Amino acid sequence: MPADSKTNETVSITDNTTGKKVDFPLLTGTEGPKVIDIRTLYSGLGFFTYDPGYTSTGSTESKITYIDGDAGILRHRGYSIEELAEKSDYMETCYLLLHGELPTAAQKEDFESTITRHTMVHDQMNNFFRGFRRDAHPMAVMCGVVGAMAAFYHDSTDITDPHQRLVASHRLIAKMPTIAAMTYKYSIGQPFMYPRNDLDYAENFLYMMFAVPCEAYKVNPVLSKAMDRIFILHADHEQNASTSTVRLAGSTGANPFACIAAGIASLWGPAHGGANEAVLAMLGKIGTKDNIPAFIQKVKDKEEMLMGFGHRVYKNYDPRAKIMARTCHEVLSELNIKDEPLLDMAIEMEQIALNDKYFVDRKLYPNVDFYSGIILKAMGIPVSMFTVLFAVARTVGWIAQWSELIADPAQKIGRPRQLYTGAAPRNYAPLHLRK
Ligand code: CMC
């Protein structure tokens, strides 16, 4: 805990039964609410805290990402997501997240070259893919293949060596698009496409997804720019479920590839990264604009969820959703898609929800996933790959947070406690006496 987080303020908790009172220090970060340091609560008063879903719990100190959910603010290392999405590119944002500062021109060139030269995967990984059914969900394959990287890259699993940690970070960022595209190619029975070093990160991903060996493939620059922006928008998001999973796994000393595989598994759920896939399923189920009011009623009756809406932290517009909606229009116009029923439905649903008391009262706004699925679909990305793309983009956030954790001398194994409500002590009954 850095000394500059300490204030002179304290918060007291008194056990009304015993009258014992303990003062707890109040900590202050650069921004955000003050934080009560309750680490001595159990030793001082014999209590645990109870916070299922961690709605009021700061699990760590971090310098990477800041969110003000009420104001709809997201910043990486102090830079707003709006500015990064408009002026930066994904490689630069990766460098920023990993190293804390924007790169100089020389650092940027060096970083891009390092990532580019790590994009190929061990050739034997091709065989590993062949063990999966071709109709497997790509996220299932991602969990397995990324976890298996620890079996292929032994020379970057020693977490006590900062150089090995950096090499693992580079390998993960570089190889995720390759593995993601291989997952897709395997599912449709096409040959894997090797990465090309003359393409940038987003171009390379589109190339490996859509090129085939028998003809030339030209990456559309508007689509690769949009893909790059989608990657930036998903790059990191503070202590969300998958990042907390990565940190918890990392706190045990597990290797980085195992930790990222754990993060991918956590991201898969429809309440988290799986929401972009769920939005399209929802729009497909609704079918036409005419059916929207009936669907909204079902949501209010708690029979359905409005996927792509709501957020644990944002009680305002998710800033990423605004940029995503704009990108969506750009992509559709570039592709000359004038009439996209899914987009029309999404816009109408957004308007209805934003003016409906149910959503207003609960501060439910579109989140990053509301429009991303429509863009990805227009770009020809199959729905089952949506969450995989999220995982590709979020890898840098996971690995930056993991690196921060491992480098922190104060880090301990994560080990929450519980409010036990099970059976009280009782005697073992032999089998013949049980009813
Ligand atoms: N549709 C309808 N009602 C909702 C929704 C929704 N999408 N989200 C929250 N609510 C209601 C919820 O039923 C509750 O109502 P009540 O007060 O009457 O019980 C109230 O709003 C508060 O919700 P909550 O469950 O306490 O909110 P939470 O912070 O636990 O959940 C969430 C956040 C993101 C899991 C949830 O909003 C949700 O499941 N949204 C849909 C899935 C989604 O789009 N997820 C992507 C999140 S952003 C990207 C990412 O993190 O990966």
Side-chain angles (χ1 to χ4, degrees):
M1 179 60 52
D4 56 5
S5 294
K6 291 201 176 112
T7 64
N8 293 326
E9 298 165 73
T10 55
V11 169
S12 310
I13 299 182
T14 306
D15 178 348
N16 290 334
T17 317
T18 61
K20 190 172 177 193
K21 179 181 150 213
V22 177
D23 292 336
F24 298 96
L26 258 188
L27 308 176
T28 180
T30 322
E31 296 187 81
K34 287 181 184 159
V35 170
I36 308 169
D37 179 352
I38 47 123
R39 282 176 293 176
T40 57
L41 180 66
Y42 183 60
S43 58
L45 284 175
F47 297 147
F48 294 148
T49 55
Y50 178 62
D51 185 18
Y54 310 123
T55 54
S56 301
T57 295
S59 60
T60 186
E61 181 222 335
S62 179
K63 293 181 167 48
I64 302 175
T65 292
Y66 173 71
I67 302 175
D68 180 336
D70 294 323
I73 287 172
L74 166 62
R75 295 192 204 110
H76 297 313
R77 305 282 193 185
Y79 297 102
S80 77
I81 191 66
E82 289 83 0
E83 213 175 356
L84 290 172
E86 195 190 319
K87 299 180 185 161
S88 183
D89 58 51
Y90 183 66
M91 276 296 94
E92 190 176 72
T93 303
C94 286
Y95 186 96
L96 174 71
L97 288 167
L98 279 178
H99 299 290
E101 296 296 336
L102 288 168
T104 62
Q107 286 167 333
K108 186 166 191 273
E109 198 184 322
D110 185 51
F111 183 70
E112 285 175 357
S113 155
T114 303
I115 296 298
T116 302
R117 276 161 186 78
H118 272 300
T119 48
M120 275 207 304
V121 293
H122 193 292
D123 205 48
Q124 215 171 316
M125 278 185 121
N126 296 359
N127 304 339
F128 191 71
F129 269 88
R130 309 211 186 276
F132 289 102
R133 284 173 55 142
R134 291 202 190 254
D135 62 355
H137 194 288
M139 283 298 277
V141 180
M142 292 297 289
C143 290
V145 176
V146 174
M149 284 177 79
F152 286 93
Y153 302 105
H154 303 140
D155 58 347
S156 51
T157 51
D158 178 358
I159 65 160
T160 62
D161 178 348
H163 177 69
Q164 290 204 23
R165 296 205 296 267
L166 190 63
V167 172
S169 307
H170 293 156
R171 282 183 168 147
L172 277 157
I173 295 167
K175 294 182 201 307
M176 279 293 277
T178 313
I179 294 171
M182 288 171 88
T183 303
Y184 173 56
K185 289 296 197 192
Y186 183 72
S187 75
I188 56 169
Q190 285 187 1
F192 298 140
M193 295 299 291
Y194 283 103
R196 266 180 39 193
N197 286 2
D198 60 322
L199 299 178
D200 72 23
Y201 194 85
E203 287 170 340
N204 213 1
F205 175 65
L206 291 173
Y207 168 79
M208 289 187 288
M209 281 285 292
F210 297 120
V212 285
C214 40
E215 63 185 29
Y217 176 81
K218 190 166 172 350
V219 181
N220 178 325
V222 174
L223 298 192
S224 63
K225 173 87 191 125
M227 185 55 74
D228 193 83
R229 191 179 293 158
I230 292 170
F231 286 157
I232 294 177
L233 294 179
H234 289 91
D236 190 47
H237 213 229
E238 207 226 56
Q239 308 310 321
N240 58 82
S242 57
T243 302
S244 296
T245 304
V246 170
R247 276 188 177 261
L248 198 55
S251 77
T252 70
N255 72 74
F257 304 108
C259 296
I260 300 305
I264 294 172
S266 171
L267 185 76
W268 192 358
H272 193 8
N276 51 16
E277 188 177 332
V279 170
L280 271 239
M282 175 189 74
L283 293 175
K285 191 164 130 189
I286 298 170
T288 64
K289 275 191 191 178
D290 301 343
N291 299 329
I292 294 176
F295 182 81
I296 294 280
Q297 191 53 51
K298 281 191 180 168
V299 172
K300 287 155 61 171
D301 294 341
K302 309 271 188 204
E303 289 169 30
E304 297 275 2
M305 288 286 275
L306 181 45
M307 301 311 287
F309 256 69
H311 199 276
R312 168 60 61 78
V313 183
Y314 294 119
K315 301 302 168 196
N316 197 326
Y317 233 100
D318 178 341
R320 303 168 301 172
K322 282 189 188 157
I323 306 168
M324 201 62 94
R326 222 173 40 238
T327 309
C328 188
H329 287 287
E330 281 166 25
V331 167
L332 294 184
S333 136
E334 166 63 21
L335 295 172
N336 217 6
I337 301 176
K338 298 214 167 54
D339 186 24
E340 170 50 87
L342 290 178
L343 179 62
D344 293 347
M345 274 170 58
I347 292 171
E348 178 131 343
M349 284 183 85
E350 181 182 346
Q351 284 318 310
I352 293 177
L354 290 177
N355 292 300
D356 189 297
K357 192 172 174 330
Y358 176 94
F359 298 92
V360 173
D361 286 354
R362 289 169 179 76
K363 299 187 178 170
L364 299 171
Y365 293 85
N367 60 48
V368 68
D369 289 318
F370 194 63
Y371 284 103
S372 65
I374 298 169
I375 313 179
L376 296 175
K377 182 171 175 286
M379 291 168 91
I381 309 278
V383 176
S384 62
M385 287 293 291
F386 290 1
T387 313
V388 172
L389 256 82
F390 195 154
V392 169
R394 183 56 59 86
T395 295
V396 67
W398 289 331
I399 202 71
Q401 301 264 355
W402 173 84
S403 303
E404 186 178 64
L405 168 98
I406 301 299
D408 180 356
Q411 85 93 9
K412 289 171 170 232
I413 185 170
R415 177 54 170 95
R417 300 306 302 266
Q418 63 176 2
L419 171 65
Y420 176 70
T421 53
R426 48 186 170 159
N427 293 327
Y428 178 86
L431 193 57
H432 68 280
L433 292 181
R434 287 178 221 161
K435 298 197 180 99

